[in-house]
């Protein structure tokens, strides 16, 4: 049943973290007494998860979690960190003492001194609540469960060879950052997804595929347009799973490629975004002597890469975990490096402005520069006359022929469906995987997935065309330094990547 | 503190079973696992000890899981923490609203005899409580010794954890014990890393050996080599085999995946003890070894720790079953894997690594792969970038080769040509398999 919004534990601002005034004061007072600069981070999260397998509820959970972390900096530049799930003034005082004690102890063992210009980002005092069509409690859990069961049964019914797991998750995460300079800023990050893990089986053969929709909350279950999109995605993913059962392997080597926007998000994220994060600039391929290579040409003049929070997006975060409002950053502008993803701790060293890029998975983690929503935007993209979900491999072949992007007899592979990736920013190596590979032609042939790997800069230089409008809703979880934070992004519906000896498809 | 919290939570839940404040919140049974942990850690990033991204840290954390069976048979499961008890009336209402029906759900187990397993090292507890200098000592040793191998950039972390674990239920299970964990890793030039993870402190020899292994392997991986693409013998290092075991074998041994048709193996395959690997392959779960990180006294549901063959003589024995999926399978619940060190992997008579390498006419040694998490677990297929690998020609290492390897690990485990090699201080053997290699 739908019902009006109700927010238990919320305050006048609507943010639950505003309950912690006394604890915030205790942190700052104790820091002053210890003679250290403090950053206090409160996190208050509620989450519901519904997991359905083959038409039956496997598990439902409603979880609450909260805690506080304190990072301190001594006047000499040594730092320490402490955290707890107890949010009381007494616990907070103990945290500051622990963190300050560790910072001083590290000094005796040869720790690094960092002089951080906390004034670089200014003092922020704000409360940020993004607009949401439906509040967290708009739909009771029984109705959410009913809808997820229905979604799952629809997919399961598409083919008798399927096993389908559907997960719906809804998260409302409130953060508050207080600093010794008077910063006191709080914000909400709402998000959700519906995700299908589909296994097709015939005899001993299996093929596993995934598809999803993501956003800020209950619109995923309530809006017909979103539901229709998920149904289309599920139907084409099921087709792929069943056809993969008998699909051959592709021959390993170097090819001209077409990738969909979810894979392009993987390319932007793995191949490029991580290398633009300032905490690794000393060893990144986009750095020289620890400084970001601003102005260097890294791609064709038609390519721009942008990162920044989008309201309503799965990875929306308006403020960094250090209390700095997050900016939208044009990392690459018309093929040239323009700006890095920088936080308070390493922007100055990297020679770039602070952009509020620090993110942390939880109050017990130390923030590091991260992406939010990263997208590749091509100038003058080729037109696409269908919705993304309706485009078949044969349609793509038609577009490539129409615009002379494929020559007679040329072997072009279309990589479809992003399954995740990994990068080594120092060496500039990236990999990512897809759900399936089509050889494009009058009759397109599906092959099993194979890893797509290459060199960051070669891959960017090899992007030759974009097809269709920009899509930004490809979701994922970024696992940098063992911290999982929501990430998303995209590109034009499809990107064309020229054959390049530094880009390899693994196979037979 | 945990003891008090756990006992008080048990009393409060029991009150909902015996004397519920309102009929809708009456419980038929409950269980919970609660752990209160204190940990300290320190880090090294790009040669620098501490700093804003690797600050020395202290963490105090209470956490666990509660499982409820309501009087009407519905179930709830949720995370718990230090605030659960004072907030219990509100949480009970939330949990009730998130309850669900199951035709076959988990039951609350009666107490069973639990094995005695040593899980606490007082020296680790001392590091947590007072001796933080030990952590800095290990990091400074790494910082001092690795440059001797030509290493330019070092990253490292050391961490000690002490916790009290409580597993209580409404049928009289009350288990509480203290445990410790110590871990550290060293990484060189973003090329190669190694880690130590045990419930005890490392010996001097173990620290020295780990640093030497990181330094020497990194040096080998900096020398360029050559190799032609093709089908060839590929030596997967212990670390790669461990990752593949988790990604492919454990996925297909997990009861939930087996029963729901999302694994390579079906329940009937286990009941028929189907041959899925060579007759000399044995995979055994052992969660009772003293001071190993994969050991414990009982699962969160109260199933005793133990030693259990999962694949014996290449034949399937049992899936890994929690109480719910054991009921669904009509089998007994089993201990579960909490850390890969709880697995014993044997394949035939393992030889030394040097002998295995000498057998390779033309092939590859793979120390690390990129993209394992993106692979299709149930199929066994792999297509992975071997970013850190050495070419081998006529039994001699030529130097670093970057390539993509492709094959099927489940087929590799059936292949009579697959051989195992032992690496010092590693739980898993290295495996020499046949794979397709595309050199980049």
């Amino acid at each position: 049943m739908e019902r009006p919004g109700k927010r238990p534990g919320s305050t006048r601002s609507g943010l639950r973290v505003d309950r912690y005034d006394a604890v915030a004061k205790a942190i700052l007072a104790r820091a002053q007494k210890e003679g250290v600069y403090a950053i206090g981070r409160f996190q208050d999260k509620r989450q519901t998860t519904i997991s359905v397998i083959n038409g039956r509820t496997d598990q439902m959970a409603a979880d609450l979690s909260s805690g506080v972390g304190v990072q301190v900096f001594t006047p000499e530049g040594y730092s320490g960190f402490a955290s707890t799930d107890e949010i009381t003034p007494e616990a907070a005082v103990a945290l500051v003492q622990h963190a300050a004690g560790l910072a001083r102890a590290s000094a005796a063992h040869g720790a690094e001194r960092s002089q951080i210009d906390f004034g670089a980002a200014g003092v922020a005092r704000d409360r940020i609540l993004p607009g949401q069509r439906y509040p967290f409690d708009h739909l009771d859990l029984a109705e959410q469960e009913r809808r997820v069961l229905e979604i799952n049964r629809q997919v399961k019914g598409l083919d008798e060879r399927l096993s389908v797991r559907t997960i719906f998750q809804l998260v409302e995460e409130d953060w508050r950052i207080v600093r010794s300079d008077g910063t006191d800023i709080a914000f909400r990050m709402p998000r959700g997804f519906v995700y299908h893990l589909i296994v097709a089986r015939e005899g001993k053969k299996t093929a596993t595929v995934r598809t999803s929709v993501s956003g800020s909350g209950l619109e995923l279950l309530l809006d017909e347009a979103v539901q229709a999109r998920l149904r289309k995605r599920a139907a084409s993913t099921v087709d792929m799973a069943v056809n993969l059962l008998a699909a051959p392997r592709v021959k390993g080597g170097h090819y001209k490629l077409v990738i969909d926007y979810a894979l392009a998000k993987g390319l932007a994220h793995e191949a490029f975004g991580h290398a633009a994060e300032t905490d690794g600039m000393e060893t990144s391929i986009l750095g020289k002597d620890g400084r970001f290579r601003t102005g260097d040409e890294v791609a064709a003049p038609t390519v721009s890469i942008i990162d920044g929070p989008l309201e309503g997006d799965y990875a929306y975060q308006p403020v960094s975990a250090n209390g700095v409002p997050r900016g939208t950053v044009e990392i690459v502008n018309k093929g040239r490096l323009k700006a890095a993803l920088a936080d308070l701790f390493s922007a100055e060293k990297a020679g770039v402005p602070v952009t509020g890029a620090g993110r942390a998975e939880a109050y017990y983690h130390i923030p590091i520069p991260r992406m939010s929503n990263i997208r590749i935007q091509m100038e003058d993209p080729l037109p696409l006359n269908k919705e993304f979900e309706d485009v078949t491999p044969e349609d793509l072949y038609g577009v490539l022929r129409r615009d002379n992007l494929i020559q007679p007899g040329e072997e072009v592979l279309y990589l479809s469906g992003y399954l995740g990736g990994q990068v080594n920013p120092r060496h500039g190596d990236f990999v990512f995987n897809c759900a399936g590979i089509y050889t494009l032609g009058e009759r397109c042939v599906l092959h099993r997935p194979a890893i797509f790997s290459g060199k960051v800069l070669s891959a960017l230089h090899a992007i030759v065309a974009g097809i269709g409008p920009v899509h930004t809703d490809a979701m994922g979880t970024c696992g940098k330094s063992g911290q999982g934070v929501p990430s998303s992004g995209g590109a034009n519906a499809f990107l064309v990547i020229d054959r390049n000896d530094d880009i390899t498809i693994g196979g037979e | 503190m945990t003891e008090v919290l756990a006992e008080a939570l048990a009393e409060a839940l029991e009150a909902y079973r015996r004397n519920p404040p309102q009929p809708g919140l009456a419980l038929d049974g409950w269980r919970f696992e609660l752990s209160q942990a204190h940990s300290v850690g320190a880090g090294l990033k790009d040669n620098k000890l501490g700093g804003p991204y690797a600050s020395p840290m202290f963490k105090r954390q209470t956490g666990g899981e509660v499982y409820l069976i309501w009087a009407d048979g519905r179930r709830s499961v949720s995370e718990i923490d230090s605030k659960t008890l004072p907030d219990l009336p509100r949480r009970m209402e939330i949990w009730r609203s998130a309850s669900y029906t199951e035709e076959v759900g988990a039951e609350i187990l009666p107490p069973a005899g639990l094995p005695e397993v040593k899980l606490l090292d007082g020296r680790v507890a001392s590091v947590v409580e007072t001796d933080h200098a030990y952590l800095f000592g290990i990091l400074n040793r790494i910082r001092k010794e690795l440059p001797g191998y030509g290493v330019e950039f070092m990253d490292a972390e050391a961490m000690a954890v002490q916790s009290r674990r409580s597993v209580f239920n409404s049928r009289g299970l009350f288990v509480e014990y203290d445990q410790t964990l110590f871990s550290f890793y060293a990484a060189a030039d973003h090329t190669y890393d190694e880690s130590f993870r045990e419930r005890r402190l490392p010996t001097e020899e173990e620290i020295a050996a780990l640093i030497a292994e990181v330094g020497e392997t990194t040096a080998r991986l900096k020398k360029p080599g050559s190799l032609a693409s093709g089908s060839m013998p590929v030596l997967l290092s212990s670390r790669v085999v461990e990752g593949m075991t988790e990604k492919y074998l454990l996925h297909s041994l997990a009861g939930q995946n087996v029963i729901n048709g999302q694994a390579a193996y079906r329940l009937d395959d286990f009941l028929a003890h189907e041959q899925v690997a060579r007759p000399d392959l044995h995979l055994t779960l052992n969660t009772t070894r003293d001071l190993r990180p994969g050991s414990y006294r009982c699962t969160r549901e109260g199933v005793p720790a133990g030693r259990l063959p999962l694949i014996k003589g290449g034949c399937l024995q049992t899936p890994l079953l929690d109480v719910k999926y054991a009921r669904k399978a009509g089998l007994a619940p089993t201990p579960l894997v909490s850390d890969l060190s709880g697995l014993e992997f044997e394949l035939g008579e393992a030889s030394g690594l040097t002998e295995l390498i000498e057998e390779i006419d033309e092939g590859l040694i793979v120390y690390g792969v990129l993209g394992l998490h993106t692979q299709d677990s149930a199929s066994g297929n792999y297509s992975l970038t071997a970013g850190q690998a050495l070419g081998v020609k006529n039994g001699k290492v030529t130097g670093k080769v970057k390539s993509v390897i492709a094959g099927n690990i489940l087929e590799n485990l059936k292949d009579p040509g697959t051989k195992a090699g032992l690496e010092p201080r590693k739980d898993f053997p290295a495996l020499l398999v046949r794979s397709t290699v595309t050199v980049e």
Side-chain angles (χ1 to χ4, degrees):
Chain A
M1 293 303 109
E2 293 185 24
R3 63 185 189 202
K6 184 183 112 186
R7 297 174 185 186
S10 63
T11 60
R12 268 186 302 173
S13 74
L15 292 163
R16 293 184 301 281
V17 283
D18 272 337
R19 289 179 292 177
Y20 306 132
D21 280 345
V23 184
K25 276 183 193 162
I27 289 170
L28 299 177
R30 186 69 208 188
Q32 193 173 25
K33 196 167 177 185
E34 294 278 340
V36 295
Y37 184 98
I39 305 177
R41 303 183 186 99
F42 297 90
Q43 182 192 27
D44 192 314
K45 179 176 167 184
R46 54 180 178 156
Q47 169 178 305
T48 58
T49 308
I50 300 170
S51 173
V52 171
I53 304 180
N54 298 334
R56 295 183 189 282
T57 301
D58 190 54
Q59 189 165 300
M60 273 171 61
D63 294 312
L64 306 174
S65 63
S66 56
V68 56
V70 179
Q71 192 165 10
V72 305
F73 299 83
T74 68
E76 299 79 24
Y78 300 107
S79 69
F81 178 76
S83 67
T84 177
D85 62 316
E86 288 175 40
I87 314 183
T88 62
E90 298 75 26
V93 166
L95 285 190
V96 178
Q97 287 173 311
H98 268 297
L102 284 168
R104 292 184 188 117
S106 75
H109 293 278
E112 183 205 12
R113 295 172 58 170
S114 347
Q115 294 306 334
I116 297 159
D117 179 9
F118 288 103
V123 174
R125 298 184 69 84
D126 205 353
R127 297 291 179 267
I128 299 170
L129 268 169
Q132 272 190 282
R133 238 171 302 167
Y134 308 102
F136 189 86
D137 296 305
H138 182 75
L139 209 58
D140 68 31
L141 276 162
E143 179 60 15
Q144 292 181 31
E145 182 191 17
R146 190 191 69 73
R147 288 176 186 246
V148 179
L149 280 164
E150 178 59 27
I151 291 168
N152 177 272
R153 285 169 184 155
Q154 281 172 6
V155 182
K156 171 76 180 151
L158 291 174
D159 194 295
E160 61 185 13
R161 290 167 288 183
L162 303 180
S163 168
V164 182
R165 180 195 303 262
T166 303
I167 298 171
F168 170 65
Q169 191 171 79
L170 194 63
V171 179
E172 187 182 78
E173 202 173 327
D174 290 358
W175 282 78
R176 180 177 179 183
I177 317 296
V178 296
R179 299 200 312 239
S180 289
D181 64 2
T183 288
D184 184 349
I185 190 163
F187 54 95
R188 172 162 294 166
M189 298 192 299
R191 63 179 178 274
F193 65 79
V194 183
Y195 170 92
H196 294 306
L197 179 72
I198 301 165
V199 178
R201 173 189 294 274
E202 202 164 57
K204 297 281 182 194
K205 286 185 177 170
T206 64
T208 307
V209 292
R210 314 162 194 176
T211 193
S212 62
V213 288
S214 64
S216 67
L218 283 168
E219 77 278 5
L220 299 170
L221 297 183
L222 292 169
D223 286 7
E224 178 46 33
V226 181
Q227 285 291 299
R229 191 157 68 241
L230 180 60
R231 281 195 295 272
K232 279 185 183 177
R233 287 180 182 183
S236 62
T237 306
V238 164
D239 271 351
M240 182 186 277
V242 169
N243 290 325
L244 279 171
L245 288 169
R249 277 185 188 276
V250 73
K251 187 170 168 47
H254 314 293
Y255 297 88
K256 180 183 273 188
L257 302 170
V258 180
I259 61 175
D260 66 27
Y261 77 86
L263 281 145
K265 177 260 177 178
L267 180 66
H269 184 104
E270 301 296 347
F272 201 76
H274 281 306
E277 292 162 346
T278 51
D279 61 321
M281 206 49 69
E282 266 188 78
T283 55
S284 169
I285 51 151
L286 299 184
K288 190 178 177 192
D289 301 326
R291 315 276 287 180
F292 187 60
R293 291 163 38 185
T294 308
D296 277 15
E297 186 195 313
V298 293
T302 49
V303 177
S304 293
I305 301 179
I306 293 148
D307 180 275
L310 299 173
E311 204 167 307
D313 178 56
Y314 176 71
Y316 171 75
Q317 179 164 343
V319 176
S320 86
N322 293 317
V324 179
R326 184 166 187 129
T328 293
V329 177
E330 208 169 5
I331 305 170
V332 175
N333 173 256
K334 296 183 179 175
R336 289 190 183 278
L337 286 177
K338 187 176 177 190
L341 299 173
D343 70 353
L344 268 179
F345 301 148
S346 52
E348 192 178 352
K349 261 183 158 177
V352 294
V354 175
T355 67
R359 298 180 72 187
E361 176 190 333
Y363 62 89
Y364 49 82
H365 288 118
I366 294 175
I368 42 179
R370 312 287 287 261
M371 288 160 265
S372 56
N373 183 299
I374 188 162
R375 50 266 183 196
I376 298 177
Q377 294 187 355
M378 299 296 294
E379 260 189 23
D380 301 324
L382 306 171
L384 187 65
N385 300 323
K386 285 184 170 180
E387 293 291 312
F388 173 81
E389 281 77 17
D390 296 326
V391 177
T392 64
E394 286 76 15
D395 293 332
L396 263 182
Y397 177 67
V399 171
L400 295 187
R401 284 200 56 179
R402 180 194 71 192
D403 292 296
N404 292 319
L405 284 165
I406 190 167
Q407 305 309 316
E410 187 180 8
E411 211 169 9
V412 179
L413 302 185
Y414 163 41
L415 278 54
S416 173
Y418 182 52
L419 293 183
Q422 207 170 348
V423 68
N424 182 327
R426 167 140 200 226
H427 299 293
D429 299 325
F430 71 87
V431 304
F432 58 81
N433 207 356
C434 58
I437 298 175
Y438 294 91
T439 47
L440 292 182
E442 296 295 344
R443 190 182 145 269
C444 299
V445 179
L446 178 65
H447 294 76
R448 283 193 240 164
I451 207 91
F452 169 43
S453 64
K455 290 282 183 192
V456 169
L457 297 179
S458 304
L460 282 184
H461 276 294
I463 299 173
V464 290
I467 303 171
V470 171
H471 294 65
T472 58
D473 67 336
M475 64 160 269
T477 299
C478 173
K480 181 181 171 185
S481 298
Q483 296 187 43
V485 299
S487 73
S488 59
N492 300 87
F494 302 95
L495 295 183
V496 183
I497 299 175
D498 223 351
R499 186 187 182 286
N500 187 296
D501 285 347
D502 280 341
I503 302 172
T504 306
I505 298 290
E508 280 187 332
Chain B
M1 176 66 186
T2 309
E3 195 173 353
V4 175
L5 180 59
E7 284 178 8
L9 183 58
E11 275 178 31
L13 290 172
E14 194 58 16
Y16 278 89
R17 196 168 75 89
R18 294 177 185 276
N19 192 18
Q22 48 182 293
L25 295 180
L27 290 178
D28 187 51
W30 54 265
R31 66 164 171 81
F32 68 80
E33 176 197 40
L34 190 69
S35 125
Q36 181 162 355
H38 291 78
S39 56
V40 290
L44 187 70
K45 181 172 166 61
D46 291 338
N47 306 337
K48 299 174 189 91
L49 186 69
Y53 300 120
S55 302
M57 55 76 65
F58 167 84
K59 182 161 95 171
R60 191 170 70 181
Q61 183 91 26
T62 301
E65 179 193 275
V66 66
Y67 182 81
L68 306 175
I69 303 176
W70 302 91
D72 62 1
R74 291 174 72 85
R75 318 290 168 125
S76 292
V77 61
S78 181
E79 294 170 6
I80 52 177
D81 61 16
S82 63
K83 299 173 289 291
T84 300
L85 183 61
D87 194 31
L88 193 62
R90 185 171 78 100
R91 303 246 177 156
M92 289 294 285
E93 288 190 11
I94 293 170
W95 295 339
R96 175 65 192 174
S97 75
S99 65
Y100 56 99
T101 304
E102 288 197 283
E103 282 176 23
V104 180
E107 295 300 331
I108 306 299
L109 296 181
L114 304 183
E116 286 300 326
V117 188
K118 190 177 178 195
L119 302 164
L120 177 78
D121 178 354
R123 296 171 308 155
V124 177
S126 298
V127 173
V128 175
E129 286 159 13
T130 52
D131 187 14
H132 305 341
Y134 183 84
L135 302 170
F136 295 116
I138 285 193
L139 298 178
N140 274 327
R141 183 165 172 187
I142 291 167
R143 190 157 66 150
K144 185 177 165 196
E145 294 182 16
L146 273 181
Y149 297 91
V151 171
E152 200 181 345
F153 287 99
M154 294 163 282
D155 295 300
E157 189 178 73
M159 181 166 289
V161 186
Q162 178 184 20
S163 63
R164 167 156 283 207
R165 181 172 186 246
S166 308
V167 183
F168 289 7
N169 78 21
S170 54
R171 294 190 69 181
L173 178 72
F174 287 87
V175 179
E176 277 195 316
Y177 55 86
D178 294 320
Q179 55 189 2
T180 49
L181 192 65
F182 186 87
S183 60
F184 78 96
Y185 82 89
D189 289 331
H190 299 256
T191 295
Y192 188 76
D193 63 84
E194 267 300 330
S195 62
F196 171 94
R197 183 178 154 85
E198 299 287 348
R199 294 194 180 279
R200 59 172 174 82
L201 291 184
T203 63
E204 277 300 302
E205 292 74 24
E206 285 170 325
I207 298 171
L210 188 146
I211 295 172
E213 186 180 346
V214 171
E216 288 165 6
T217 309
T218 301
R220 281 199 292 273
L221 286 166
K222 285 180 178 173
K223 187 185 156 200
S226 62
L227 191 70
S229 298
S231 171
M232 64 184 74
V234 171
L235 182 60
L236 305 173
S237 70
S238 163
R239 178 212 305 232
V240 177
V241 173
E242 184 175 332
M244 286 186 155
T245 301
E246 181 177 27
K247 179 69 187 173
Y248 296 99
L249 282 180
L250 278 188
H251 173 92
S252 285
L253 290 166
Q256 189 188 47
N257 295 330
V258 171
I259 306 290
N260 289 310
Q262 301 211 315
Y265 314 129
R266 293 166 299 188
L267 183 59
D268 286 349
D269 299 333
F270 286 92
L271 297 177
H273 297 301
E274 182 158 313
Q275 188 92 35
V276 296
R278 272 173 28 182
D280 53 359
L281 186 142
H282 310 284
L283 185 69
T284 307
L285 175 64
N286 187 352
T287 61
T288 61
R289 289 185 290 176
D290 284 346
L291 294 174
R292 295 311 314 273
S295 295
Y296 50 79
R297 294 195 64 206
C298 66
T299 68
R300 61 176 52 173
E301 294 179 294
V303 177
R307 190 167 189 276
L308 178 78
L310 301 171
I311 298 175
K312 188 175 173 184
C315 298
L316 294 173
Q317 300 300 304
T318 176
L320 292 158
L321 295 165
D322 62 13
V323 176
K324 171 174 155 177
Y325 278 95
R327 289 189 73 206
K328 288 192 175 203
L331 298 170
T334 67
L336 301 174
V337 176
S338 74
D339 181 281
L340 289 171
S341 68
L343 289 172
E344 298 167 353
F345 188 119
E346 293 171 65
L347 180 74
E349 200 167 317
S351 48
L353 273 194
T354 312
E355 289 85 62
L356 275 188
I357 293 167
E358 283 171 356
E359 284 184 27
I360 301 173
D361 287 335
E362 187 152 20
L364 197 67
I365 307 170
V366 180
Y367 289 100
V369 293
L370 293 173
L372 186 57
H373 64 294
T374 71
Q375 304 295 301
D376 177 352
S377 298
S379 71
N381 293 329
Y382 60 87
S383 171
L384 297 160
T385 295
Q388 307 304 344
L390 297 171
V392 179
K393 190 149 193 175
N394 300 325
K396 304 274 183 216
V397 171
T398 61
K400 180 173 178 175
V401 174
K402 188 162 173 259
S403 62
V404 175
I405 58 170
N408 184 295
I409 191 66
L410 301 181
E411 293 302 319
N412 289 146
L413 295 179
K414 291 177 185 167
D415 181 357
T418 297
K419 293 179 180 174
L422 291 180
E423 287 188 54
R425 300 175 302 281
K426 304 287 169 61
D427 286 315
F428 284 76
L431 290 182
L432 184 64
V433 302
R434 194 144 195 103
S435 188
T436 302
V437 176
T438 305
V439 178
E440 292 187 3

